[in-house]
Amino acid sequence: MIFRQLFDAETSTYTYLIADRETRLAALVDPVREHVARDLALIDELGLTLAYVLETHVHADHITGAGLLRQRTGARSVASKRGAACADLHLDDGDLLHVGNLVVRVIATPGHTDDSLSYLVGDRVLTGDALLIRSAGRTDFQNGDPAQLYASITTRLFTLPDDTQVYPGHDYRGFTVSSIGEERRWNARVAGKSSAEFSAIMNGLALPPPRHLAVAVPANRSCGEA
Ligand code: FE
């Protein structure tokens, strides 16, 4: 598998490029609109064909590149069935998406948003904003629900093998990758905490709203094309 982690410094967002070496078919996960040219240049340089653009959820902090990418490449955009209606293909828990010979397994991990999906590819899981490195995505808007997020993390993600590599949707402190075993042990919000304790932590965060919330959510519901 070809696997690349790309970064948007403005919003600390990770975009992932995954591709099958044999068929050269690729998928981009959570592309940022401002980086469409960068991402397409990399895909071209690696000799890949973009088949799919996947969202882990409707983002509140950046605008997706999905619409531009599908216009320019003919790739199909993919989102949760609870996510952006503009997507060409809607996925739900347990679905399998084939990218050439690669198989992407969909794990529904709601709680940060109600449409949040994680994607398992081989021994890597792309967790969006459900599970972050030593942290978890905020739960105070877009139908976020801390009890639901606790259940997603502990029953859906922490039940994966310990050596599964965790690739999050964001990191604000410079971390790039973790593992399920590491997060089970060291994630301060979840490790050793009950659902009620986790909810108390999440409800007490008092974070300011994301700067681009009012623009980003409606834009992402139309795949960044509006
Ligand atoms: Fe998010």
Side-chain angles (χ1 to χ4, degrees), residues 125 127-139 146 149-154 157-158 162 166-171 173 175 177-195 197-199 201-202 205:
V125 64
T127 54
D129 298 354
L131 179 62
L132 304 176
I133 297 174
R134 308 295 189 268
S135 187
R138 61 193 297 176
T139 54
L149 182 56
Y150 182 87
S152 291
I153 292 173
T154 57
L157 296 174
F158 282 3
D162 272 0
V166 172
Y167 284 94
H170 296 283
D171 192 87
R173 294 180 298 165
F175 294 114
V177 58
S178 181
S179 71
I180 290 295
E182 209 177 308
E183 292 307 312
R184 275 160 52 90
R185 182 159 179 213
W186 295 112
N187 190 300
R189 291 187 180 174
V190 188
K193 299 284 196 299
S194 67
S195 178
E197 288 168 330
F198 177 77
S199 293
I201 292 170
M202 299 307 289
L205 290 177

Side-chain angles (χ1 to χ4, degrees), residues 7-225:
F7 189 59
D8 172 52
E10 177 74 26
T11 60
S12 299
T13 297
Y14 286 124
T15 296
Y16 296 95
L17 174 66
I18 57 178
D20 173 32
R21 284 189 183 280
E22 204 177 318
T23 62
R24 312 308 287 179
L25 292 176
L28 266 176
V29 181
D30 288 342
V32 174
R33 194 164 70 174
E34 285 77 9
H35 295 302
V36 161
R38 174 198 68 184
D39 298 350
L40 286 176
L42 178 61
I43 287 165
D44 190 44
E45 286 164 3
L46 296 178
L48 304 174
T49 300
L50 187 64
Y52 296 109
V53 181
L54 282 69
E55 303 289 350
T56 56
H57 60 296
V58 173
H59 305 281
D61 61 332
H62 68 269
I63 296 177
T64 177
L68 276 182
L69 286 160
R70 73 176 171 186
Q71 285 169 27
R72 294 189 188 169
T73 67
R76 300 176 76 198
S77 75
V78 183
S80 162
K81 72 172 195 184
R82 288 168 206 81
C86 57
D88 301 307
L89 183 62
H90 290 94
L91 297 176
D92 201 3
D93 188 58
D95 285 345
L96 302 177
L97 183 75
H98 295 264
V99 182
N101 299 312
L102 296 180
V103 180
V104 179
R105 181 153 73 89
V106 178
I107 305 172
T109 48
H112 167 62
T113 62
D114 57 2
D115 70 317
S116 290
L117 301 178
S118 293
Y119 297 117
L120 182 69
V121 196
D123 66 349
R124 295 172 161 100
V125 64
L126 279 49
T127 54
D129 298 354
L131 179 62
L132 304 176
I133 297 174
R134 308 295 189 268
S135 187
R138 61 193 297 176
T139 54
D140 55 339
F141 53 75
Q142 288 181 281
N143 302 318
D145 179 336
Q148 198 177 40
L149 182 56
Y150 182 87
S152 291
I153 292 173
T154 57
T155 71
R156 304 306 308 278
L157 296 174
F158 282 3
T159 49
L160 295 169
D162 272 0
D163 58 2
T164 307
Q165 297 176 64
V166 172
Y167 284 94
H170 296 283
D171 192 87
Y172 304 96
R173 294 180 298 165
F175 294 114
T176 54
V177 58
S178 181
S179 71
I180 290 295
E182 209 177 308
E183 292 307 312
R184 275 160 52 90
R185 182 159 179 213
W186 295 112
N187 190 300
R189 291 187 180 174
V190 188
K193 299 284 196 299
S194 67
S195 178
E197 288 168 330
F198 177 77
S199 293
I201 292 170
M202 299 307 289
N203 291 332
L205 290 177
L207 297 167
R211 250 183 307 160
H212 307 298
L213 175 70
V215 176
V217 170
N220 288 328
R221 290 199 188 286
S222 55
C223 292
E225 289 169 315

